[in-house]
Each structure stands twice: as C-alpha cells, then as structure tokens.
Amino acid sequence: MHAILEKRLIAPNEYDMWVEAPKVASHARPGQFVVVRPTSKGERIPLTIADYDLKRGSIRFIFQAVGKTTHQMARFEVGDSLSDVLGPLGRPSEIKKWGTVMLVGGGVGIAALFPILRELKRVGNYTITVLGGRSSELVIMKDECRRYSDKLIITTDDGSEGIKGVVTEGMRVASEGRKIDQAWAIGPTIMMKFASLAAKEMGIPIWVSLNPIMVDGTGMCGGCRVEVGGEVRFACVDGPEFDGWAVNWDVLMRRLQQYKEEEKLSLEQYMAEVESVV
Amino acid sequence: MSPKVRQKKVPIAEQKPEERIRNFNEVCLGYTMEEAIEEGMRCLQCKNAPCVAGCPVTIDIPGFIKALREGNIDESWKILSSATNLPAVCGRVCPQETQCEGVCTLGRGKDFEPVAIGKLERFVADWKAGSGVQSAPVVHRGEPKGKVAIVGSGPAGLTAAGDLAKMGYRVKIYEALHEPGGVLMYGIPEFRLPKAIVRREIENIKLLGVEVEVDTAVGRSITVEELRGEYDAIFIGTGAGTPRFIGIPGTTLNGVYSASEFLTRVNLMHAYRFPEYDTPIKKLKNVVVVGGGNVAMDAARSALRLGAEHVTVAYRRTQAEMPARVEEYHHAVEEGIEFCWLTNPVEYVGDERGWVKAVNCIRMELGEPDESGRRRPIPVPGSEFLLEADGAIEAIGQGSNKVLLDAFPELKLNKHGYIVADPETGATSVEGVFAGGDIVTGAATVILAMGAGKNAAKAIDEYISTKRLKAASR
Ligand SMILES: Cc1cc2nc3c(=O)[nH]c(=O)nc-3n(C[C@H](O)[C@H](O)[C@H](O)COP(=O)(O)OP(=O)(O)OC[C@H]3O[C@@H](n4cnc5c(N)ncnc54)[C@H](O)[C@@H]3O)c2cc1C
Ligand SMILES: Cc1cc2nc3c(=O)[nH]c(=O)nc-3n(C[C@H](O)[C@H](O)[C@H](O)COP(=O)(O)OP(=O)(O)OC[C@H]3O[C@@H](n4cnc5c(N)ncnc54)[C@H](O)[C@@H]3O)c2cc1C
Ligand code: SF4
Ligand code: FES
C-alpha cells in the first residue's frame, strides 16, 4: 500500500500528488513512468514520474481526471493509500550535453517534461521551454519550469497568456536565431504529432513520449504496441520515448479509441455511484 | 489383468457444455470420495511404476494412490506434497496424457484407459484444503542457512522458494505484477484453474516462511547488483512472457490482440466481471484465434464465454500436430469452437474505422519434417480466403521477458534469447545465479518449470553450503 502524502488541485481537473513509493523513488530517472492500481478492483494505469524525493521515499505524479480511474484517484485524500505502484518503468530519457535543447510541453504532459528539463539543465544544456495550453490556468508548473529554462515561452489557444496560438508557434519563435540540437515534446497525442511535423520541417530531431493504452507495463501483453518507422514496438519497454519523425500517429490515435464505449460506461456508473452517496 | 479392473476411467462430473459457455466457473467438478477411491482401485501398483518415471517431479504415484484408496487421505497428501508444492494446480493443468498417464501400464491393455492420475491428484489436494485441517507447516527453526532471492513467482519460482524454505533458507520472491502466480494467475483461465486454488497453494508456500514482494520488477524497481549484495544466491524464473506477433499487415488494427493481453485482461484483471472490475475487454461477435496450443484454446474458450457467437481456431498444421492438451481440445469442441486446420493468416483486413473486419487466410499443406520432427506447413499458392471477424487473437508463442535480461548483460543468453543454464542444476554463466522454467527452455509446461525450480533449489543448497564450508576452513 502506498500512502498519499500530499494532494493538490493545480488546474481545473488536474491534480498533483506525492505518494509513498521508496523503491520507485530510489531508482527513478527522468522519462520513466509507473503503473498504478488505485484499488483492488481497479485498472492498472500508467502515470509519468514527475518528481521523486529520495529522503521521503516518495514520488510525485500529476494527472488529469479523464475517466473512472483518474476520477477515483482525484477523490483520494492525504492519508488514503493506492493499492499498487509498480516502477520505475520504461527507458530513461537520453540525458547528456546536447548543446541547445527545446522542450515542448502541453497539458499534463508538462509534468512528464519537467524532470527531463531539470536534468538537461543540470548537465549544462542551454534550455528553451515552450509550454502550451488552452488557457493560462491550464499551463501548469510554469514557475518550476522557469527555474531550469534559459528561455521560457508560453502559448495559449485563447491568448490569455503569452503567444496566442498553439505550441508549434512557440517552437518557431524559440528556434529563431538559434540552432537547436535536440527537442522533446510531451503532451496530448495530437500536439505531439504537430510538434513532430514542425520539428521535422525545421530539421530538429525530436523525442516524443507516447501514451498508448497499457496493461502490465512490463512487455508482457503487447497491448501498448505502436508503429515507429514501420516497425511494431512496445511503448512500455522500448519506449515510452520514440523518434517523433518516425511515429505513425494515426495508428496511435486509433488505438487510443479502442475502449471508448467501455470507458464511458465505467465513468457514468462511477459518477452515479459517488453522486448517490453525496 | 484382473477381470475385476474396470476398463474405463470412472467418469467425472463436468458442467454441461451449454451451461458452461456462459460462465467462468470451473468446467470439471472433480470426483467425490467414493468415485476417487473406485478410480484408485484401478491402479495395479506396478513394481516398476512407469508412471513415476513419466512424471517430471517423480511423484510416488502408486504410493499416493494406495494411501488414498485405503482412505488415508492425509498420508496421501503428504506423499504428494513431498514431491510437489502445487498439487491442486498440477492435477488440473499437467498434460497427463503425455506424461504419467501416457505410460501407465493399465492403459497399455487393449481397450483399457490409464488410471486417471491427474484427477486423483487434484482430488487429494482439494480434499485436503476443504477439510480445513491445515497440517502444521514444516517451518525451519533456528538460524537460516542463507538468504535466497527468487525473481518471478510462476511455478518455477514458487517451487524453488518452497523447497529452499523447507531446507532452512530465508527466501524472498520478487514479482513484477500485483499478484503472484505467473501464468497460473494471468494466463490460464478461471474455468480451467480457479484463482482461489492458486492463491491457496501460494498461501501454503508462504506458511513455509517464504516472503512475497509484489509490484517489484527486478532490474528496474530493484537492481540485480542490490540483490547480489543482499542474498547468497538468486534464482531467476521470469518466464517467457513476451508475446510474439506473426508480423503480418494489420497487426496494429483495433481488435487484434495478443493472447497475453486478452487473457491478462480476463484473468488477472477480471475483465469478465467488468464493470464491477474496472478493466474492460471487448465484447466480440466473431473471433478468429490463431494457434494450436493451450494458449489458443484458453483464448478461444474465454472469447466464447464473453459472449462471442462464432469462435474459430485457425491452425497451420492438423489436429495430430496441435500441442494443446487433449482434454482442453475436447472441451473446446464440445463447446462449439470451430477448427480450421492447415490455415494461416496472411493479413488482417480493417474497416474504415480501423477495426479488424476479416482475416485473410491461406491454406497450408504439410511438407517434409522440420527440426522439431513435425512436418513443416507450406502455403498453397492462390488459396487465400477470408474469415469474417471483429476480433483476432494471436496465440503463436512467446519470447523471453526482457525487463530483467536487459538490466543484467553479464548473463549469457542463447540464440533464441533465453538464459543459458545447466539443465541439471540451473547454474548460469554468473556465479550464484541460477535460472529455470520458461526463461531457460522457452514456453513449456507448469510441471517442467516446477522440475527446474526443484533441481535449482537442490543446487543452490549445495552451492551455499560449500561456499560456507570453504569460508569456515579459511
Ligand atoms: C507512459 C504513460 C505515461 C502517462 N503519464 C500520465 C501523466 O503523467 N498524467 C496523466 O494525467 N496521464 C498520463 N498518462 C495517461 C493516463 O494513463 C490515462 O489518462 C489514464 O490511464 C486514464 O484512465 P481512466 O480510467 O481515468 O480513463 P479511461 O476512461 O479509462 O480512459 C480515458 C482515456 O485515457 C487513455 N487511457 C485509458 N486507459 C489507459 C491506459 N491503461 N494506459 C494509457 N492510456 C489509457 C485513453 O486514451 C482513453 O481514451 C500516461 C500514459 C502513458 C502510457
Ligand atoms: C494461456 C496459457 C495456458 C497454459 N496452459 C498450460 C497447461 O494447461 N498446462 C501446462 O503444463 N502448461 C501450460 N502453460 C505453460 C505454463 O503456464 C508455463 O510453462 C509455466 O507457467 C512457466 O512457469 P515459469 O515459472 O517459468 O514462468 P511464468 O509462469 O511465466 O512466471 C514468471 C513470472 O515472473 C514475473 N517476472 C518477469 N520478469 C520479472 C522481473 N524482472 N521481476 C520480477 N518478476 C518478473 C512475471 O510477471 C511472472 O509472474 C500455459 C501457458 C499459457 C500462457
Ligand atoms: S503405471 Fe498406472 S497402474 Fe501402474 S502404478 Fe502407475 S498409475 Fe498405477
Ligand atoms: S503494456 Fe503490456 S506490453 Fe506494454
């Protein structure tokens, strides 16, 4: 059992949580994730490790309440426990001195981007961060990211902060007058797709962190398969980061739809249950 | 042969096919005490007992049957459990027809069936559990002889752990998933091996003092170096859990599953009880399962129970070559599963939404025998035909699980990616590290994995004891 040590609402429907998981904390590296099962009848869902605290033996994740499992986790309070936390899983990000790096984050993806940014800065890269969201309040972790960024650009769809537009606008601004050696993009699939297309146009190699539906997270089920460079790869063990130029985005987006009806039923039933209790 | 010996096995109660295709309850209901004793009477108590030689963990078969038919079931259970830590599992899933029962003297007689050894084993184990008299476990007291880490809680790991605990070692099993049991838990379905039974046998192993730490992927949640620092020896039983895909066009279409994903959702995650349990599984109408082993049978019969109208198994050879247990094949036929022999898929055809709508197959014919001794299937040019399907499940075999291997580069692997280990002892290329089960042999059977765990336990005991002797004489 993994006790919840802190919990905060940081944006509409987005939660920031610190959870006791000493084994994970002492082995976690940027780019890795955990598989969480909140209750004994629950589903196993992957969440990126947004931070880790060796002293406390705890890890942090930031998640968006989208379906039953994440809504249920949103109702957990400090002192409650998650049934299972397995990790760290996946290959760590390639942290080294690239020169100038550009980190593009959108929505809760910013949480996954943050530890990568921090490590890249620590090893001496010049860091340009582009954060995007529909509106200002949805762009999370601005201050934390600013601390490790040589340049921080914010884009919002509605223009409530920074550049009005999507992250690719920010990417263009960021690359003006500077050669970028490596980029990362983490966020909604559609954002990563367009960020990859833009990066390819600009000739910038880009890592993306793919989020297919997973079950075990250990390479055992094959459910997380994605197509990269025409080959089938397992995101949980071969990824989650892949070369954004080579990802078949249509396959990924289609496979994310597989359980749409079931997910809807599950959420409706859960909401009816919790509302009848209230 | 004594004229009094009945020719056929005492029939065993089973759920009727038309009922059982709508539930996940166990198909075979087991013998009553009277039936078990009657069946036990058929055993000839052979002096040479070929059945024992046919059993990979050499259970004293005539011995346990003798005690059973004398009504001394406690004794019978003791005989069983001195050789196997998982008798209720073995009694249910071992391929008896090719092992003990396959060589049973009685079965050699014209028109005679062999003794139903598996069903008797299962009876004794279940009776023991149902009797509520848990015999006091043989917990080793005093200083432990050493500390051993076991990686993976499948039948290989559980057996090695149980045996080492009995010998007086402090044993801890590390398991990546949230429930121990390996394939017994995530692969083999409830209707063939109820999960309560697996849990019960694991509880018995814990009673011996074995600790189990779940949610721990060795190589990631804890490193191999950390384990080697803390333990005197390590046993690796991580199984062959990585699904293989044929690699034909359309593999990433929605509705195309590996059997591992399909069965893991159903078994480990209880998707057949969705939405009571949160993990969903697609309700499919027409399902094509590719393969001919136990995994294919389990996937096909699970799909049927989830409500499919048509389930077809496509196998590239013929019934004679299929590796599935005969009993499961018969059960599948009774349940209305259709079989398409000499058939191999060449492409999954998708609809405009990206869901599979048909499987394009090709007819095969059998050519010359290959290295496995079985005749090689060869495609018949121009014989393609479509099988309508909204779901396709590939059950064509598994590869080694890489999570640990990637983190342990010193370990020598063979050309298929499995660990190289001494077949007698399980010793690997790294001192103090032993391995067994599917991660050494490739996908095999529960009992072979248990045999490997048993041998490794002996070898580990020897290894640690000699190391200690050497240290003492220094
Ligand atoms: C490596 C990885 C890291 C992730 N990190 C984060 C993170 O840091 N923060 C965050 O908010 N989300 C993250 N996700 C996505 C998160 O796992 C899903 O939002 C979550 O599983 C939804 O579960 P649910 O039951 O609430 O919703 P559901 O109703 O089950 O699903 C809603 C949508 O979430 C996606 N989804 C559902 N189940 C899974 C699953 N098992 N695996 C992946 N996606 C799924 C699907 O697109 C689905 O349509 C990550 C996903 C992956 C693969
Ligand atoms: C669907 C199906 C049906 C089958 N039916 C039969 C049958 O009827 N009869 C029969 O005899 N055999 C059957 N088999 C085969 C049999 O189940 C296997 O041969 C046997 O389980 C192998 O045992 P094992 O201990 O080697 O590995 P497994 O049972 O595969 O267990 C390995 C365990 O190790 C864990 N693990 C892997 N990597 C790590 C790591 N790095 N850290 C921690 N844990 C890890 C895994 O999560 C898993 O729990 C079937 C197999 C399948 C898939
Ligand atoms: S071979 Fe058959 S008849 Fe002979 S002892 Fe074994 S089970 Fe009994
Ligand atoms: S999640 Fe099962 S193989 Fe990746």
Side-chain angles (χ1 to χ4, degrees):
Chain A
M1 295 295 256
H2 303 264
I4 294 167
L5 307 174
E6 289 176 38
K7 178 202 162 191
R8 238 164 20 106
L9 181 71
I10 54 164
N13 250 339
E14 287 178 23
Y15 297 83
D16 184 349
M17 219 178 228
W18 280 93
V19 174
E20 207 168 50
K23 268 181 306 196
V24 184
S26 61
H27 296 89
R29 306 264 307 277
Q32 292 188 298
F33 65 97
V34 286
V35 163
V36 173
R37 197 177 67 129
T39 70
S40 62
K41 290 191 174 178
E43 190 167 9
R44 296 168 65 98
I45 65 159
L47 293 172
T48 306
I49 305 168
D51 207 344
Y52 31 90
D53 178 344
L54 279 174
K55 271 200 227 97
R56 253 197 330 185
S58 61
I59 58 170
R60 176 188 188 188
F61 28 79
I62 291 173
F63 64 91
Q64 185 176 16
V66 289
K68 153 123 195 222
T69 312
T70 43
H71 270 101
Q72 188 178 34
M73 273 178 57
R75 300 179 81 92
F76 277 46
E77 295 298 342
V78 170
D80 290 342
S81 287
L82 304 176
S83 184
D84 302 274
V85 176
L86 160 67
L89 301 171
R91 294 183 187 277
S93 309
E94 196 177 335
I95 304 291
K96 64 173 188 193
K97 188 149 177 190
W98 297 86
T100 299
V101 291
M102 174 164 68
L103 296 124
V104 186
V108 277
I110 296 171
L113 196 71
F114 171 68
I116 304 173
L117 161 66
R118 193 173 54 185
E119 273 308 287
L120 285 170
K121 182 73 227 163
R122 203 181 57 80
V123 300
N125 288 286
Y126 184 88
T127 54
I128 304 175
T129 306
V130 180
L131 304 180
R134 264 174 292 132
S135 67
S136 176
E137 57 174 1
L138 289 166
V139 182
I140 58 171
M141 301 177 85
K142 282 177 272 213
D143 295 335
E144 284 169 284
C145 289
R146 186 166 288 123
R147 204 171 328 140
Y148 301 97
S149 306
D150 291 296
K151 201 154 128 194
L152 181 90
I153 295 166
I154 290 171
T155 68
T156 51
D157 294 8
D158 64 1
S160 51
E161 188 175 350
I163 302 170
K164 180 170 167 29
V166 287
V167 286
T168 44
E169 314 286 334
M171 288 170 69
R172 292 215 164 80
V173 173
S175 62
E176 271 162 26
R178 212 177 166 104
K179 179 177 170 288
I180 291 169
D181 299 295
Q182 179 68 37
W184 266 261
I186 309 183
T189 311
I190 192 79
M191 180 215 105
M192 291 193 284
K193 173 178 173 175
F194 284 103
S196 296
L197 291 176
K200 190 169 181 183
E201 244 173 60
M202 297 184 246
I204 306 170
I206 187 165
W207 292 115
V208 290
S209 179
L210 300 188
N211 59 337
I213 295 177
M214 295 189 172
V215 185
D216 59 304
T218 66
M220 190 267 281
C221 74
C224 64
R225 60 194 187 277
V226 290
E227 203 181 296
V228 182
E231 269 178 63
V232 172
R233 311 290 299 275
F234 290 3
C236 68
V237 284
D238 301 327
E241 285 180 12
F242 292 99
D243 168 8
W245 293 11
V247 170
N248 184 333
W249 296 99
D250 297 339
V251 163
L252 176 62
M253 284 191 265
R254 176 165 37 73
R255 287 184 64 78
L256 283 167
Q257 302 298 310
Q258 281 192 93
Y259 289 98
K260 243 192 154 52
E261 293 107 68
E262 291 80 2
E263 284 156 0
K264 188 160 164 266
L265 172 71
S266 188
L267 181 62
E268 279 168 4
Q269 189 174 317
Y270 176 70
M271 286 310 190
E273 238 169 72
V274 289
E275 267 147 35
S276 72
V277 177
V278 171
Chain B
M1 229 168 264
S2 149
K4 279 190 290 219
V5 177
R6 29 174 319 152
Q7 287 185 314
K8 303 278 177 217
K9 294 176 176 174
V10 174
I12 198 156
E14 285 178 349
Q15 270 199 79
K16 289 200 187 63
E18 57 278 19
E19 282 164 23
R20 70 185 192 231
I21 59 169
R22 288 199 195 86
N23 66 57
F24 273 81
N25 300 338
E26 198 173 5
V27 168
C28 174
L29 303 172
Y31 280 142
T32 63
M33 176 78 85
E34 292 71 33
E35 288 165 346
I37 292 177
E38 191 186 343
E39 178 63 24
M41 291 300 179
R42 296 177 67 229
C43 172
L44 307 171
Q45 295 290 306
C46 314
K47 285 264 165 344
N48 61 342
C51 53
V52 179
C55 169
V57 296
T58 54
I59 292 174
D60 173 7
I61 293 167
F64 99 80
I65 295 180
K66 180 157 181 283
L68 160 68
R69 69 192 191 190
E70 285 165 358
N72 192 352
I73 303 193
D74 231 25
E75 175 62 22
S76 180
W77 182 80
K78 269 191 205 133
I79 296 173
L80 269 180
S81 58
S82 70
T84 161
N85 289 317
L86 304 164
V89 170
C90 294
R92 284 174 167 82
V93 304
C94 277
Q96 287 99 7
E97 74 270 11
T98 60
Q99 299 178 166
C100 54
E101 295 181 23
V103 292
C104 168
T105 315
L106 187 63
R108 293 282 160 87
K110 189 170 163 0
D111 297 331
F112 275 80
E113 285 180 354
V115 176
I117 302 169
K119 298 286 187 279
L120 293 179
E121 179 181 15
R122 160 194 167 134
F123 170 80
V124 173
D126 286 358
W127 179 89
K128 180 69 189 172
S131 70
V133 258
Q134 232 356 305
S135 56
V138 250
V139 182
H140 181 84
R141 312 218 173 266
E143 268 300 288
K145 287 164 74 180
K147 284 176 78 181
V148 183
I150 310 273
V151 186
S153 63
L158 288 171
T159 303
D163 279 16
L164 283 162
K166 285 181 198 161
M167 293 177 209
Y169 288 90
R170 189 129 97 219
V171 185
K172 188 157 173 184
I173 302 181
Y174 293 93
E175 168 56 49
L177 297 173
H178 59 260
E179 278 223 56
V183 173
L184 308 180
M185 218 57 207
Y186 75 74
I188 304 181
E190 184 78 16
F191 57 82
R192 209 145 73 71
L193 179 64
K195 299 307 150 226
I197 284 172
V198 182
R199 288 200 189 94
R200 185 179 86 203
E201 302 216 312
I202 292 173
E203 278 314 306
N204 285 340
I205 292 171
K206 285 194 194 161
L207 284 175
L208 297 167
V210 172
E211 260 186 273
V212 181
E213 190 168 321
V214 294
D215 293 325
T216 308
V218 173
R220 293 209 182 273
S221 318
I222 181 166
T223 63
V224 176
E225 295 72 53
E226 286 171 290
L227 285 190
R228 295 184 71 193
E230 191 178 342
Y231 293 91
D232 298 305
I234 302 177
F235 175 77
I236 302 175
T238 48
T242 301
R244 287 212 188 96
F245 289 94
I246 310 170
I248 57 177
T251 303
T252 51
L253 283 172
N254 290 358
V256 177
Y257 282 97
S258 74
S260 306
E261 180 186 356
F262 192 78
L263 291 170
T264 301
R265 283 180 180 268
V266 173
N267 296 312
L268 182 73
M269 305 312 294
H270 301 90
Y272 66 97
R273 284 164 70 183
F274 177 85
E276 182 199 343
Y277 282 79
D278 291 343
T279 305
I281 186 79
K282 272 288 160 199
K283 291 244 183 312
L284 303 166
K285 262 206 194 125
N286 294 304
V287 182
V288 172
V289 178
V290 185
N294 287 317
V295 186
M297 298 302 109
D298 286 346
R301 297 171 69 203
S302 297
L304 192 70
R305 282 159 173 78
L306 289 164
E309 288 162 16
H310 266 103
V311 182
T312 309
V313 172
Y315 181 50
R316 61 193 184 130
R317 304 180 201 245
T318 74
Q319 190 196 331
E321 289 89 23
M322 80 187 281
R325 294 182 67 213
V326 172
E327 178 176 344
E328 309 312 336
Y329 167 66
H330 286 309
H331 280 156
V333 171
E334 281 174 7
E335 290 167 9
I337 308 263
E338 286 163 44
F339 287 81
C340 250
W341 307 115
L342 293 167
T343 300
N344 214 23
V346 287
E347 181 185 6
Y348 300 108
V349 186
D351 65 12
E352 60 293 338
R353 295 169 17 252
W355 271 91
V356 60
K357 68 171 180 188
V359 185
N360 191 12
C361 297
I362 193 162
R363 295 271 179 226
M364 311 290 279
E365 61 189 7
L366 292 183
E368 294 301 309
D370 60 14
E371 67 270 28
S372 76
R374 297 181 303 177
R375 292 173 63 198
R376 187 193 303 274
I378 305 167
V380 179
S383 66
E384 286 92 347
F385 64 101
L386 285 178
L387 282 173
E388 195 192 326
D390 57 353
I393 305 172
E394 282 197 13
I396 58 147
Q398 292 97 245
S400 57
N401 189 310
K402 295 281 184 317
V403 171
L404 171 81
L405 303 185
D406 283 351
F408 198 178
E410 304 95 296
L411 205 58
K412 208 171 140 201
L413 307 182
N414 67 19
K415 66 172 197 277
H416 303 292
Y418 297 109
I419 299 176
V420 175
D422 183 316
E424 300 292 313
T425 63
T428 69
S429 58
V430 179
E431 196 199 310
V433 178
F434 297 74
D438 284 4
I439 189 61
V440 169
T441 56
T445 60
V446 171
I447 196 72
L448 287 173
M450 291 178 63
K454 234 180 153 51
N455 290 340
K458 261 189 260 149
I460 289 171
D461 177 37
E462 248 165 63
Y463 165 75
I464 296 180
S465 307
T466 19
K467 209 172 67 172
R468 215 184 10 250
L469 275 180
K470 273 194 209 145
S473 67
R474 233 187 268 136

